Amino acid sequence: ITAEMVHRAIERGKERLTDEKSAREFIKKLILDRSEFVWKRKEDALGPLMGPAMDELRGRIDGRRVSSIMKEEIFRFLGGGS
């Protein structure tokens, strides 16, 4: 293992954290923009919201992680967490 390899690994880790943070912010905004829909559909809003989320986030963050974040944020939006 070289110092260059360690540096690249650290940079990739930072990119992932930044991508996840920006993904979470995008998902929060998406839920707020479609709040009436989310209130009506509750957790069932997840599937229909995944399309626009993946349109924006594809290639930057894994779809399973997008789904997980979306579930967390819908839960928070509906009053299930802080």
Side-chain angles (χ1 to χ4, degrees):
I1 296 178
T2 66
E4 173 73 18
M5 292 168 72
V6 171
H7 179 70
R8 281 190 302 212
I10 290 170
E11 289 304 312
R12 281 193 307 270
K14 286 179 184 176
E15 287 172 13
R16 275 189 231 120
L17 288 175
T18 300
D19 287 345
E20 185 158 325
K21 183 178 179 184
S22 64
R24 187 172 296 276
E25 291 306 313
F26 175 81
I27 289 167
K28 286 179 181 180
K29 183 179 182 322
L30 179 64
I31 290 169
L32 287 175
D33 289 349
R34 301 183 183 193
S35 60
E36 187 175 320
F37 176 77
V38 175
W39 276 115
K40 285 180 185 175
R41 296 286 301 268
K42 309 283 187 225
E43 292 85 4
D44 291 336
L46 174 68
L49 293 179
M50 281 297 292
M54 289 309 297
D55 287 346
E56 177 70 22
L57 302 170
R58 185 172 282 111
R60 295 189 329 190
I61 186 169
D62 183 71
R64 290 173 297 219
R65 189 63 190 131
V66 173
S67 178
S68 177
I69 294 169
M70 182 83 70
K71 286 177 191 174
E72 292 170 16
E73 294 303 329
I74 288 173
F75 182 72
R76 281 192 182 108
F77 176 78
L78 295 173
S82 50

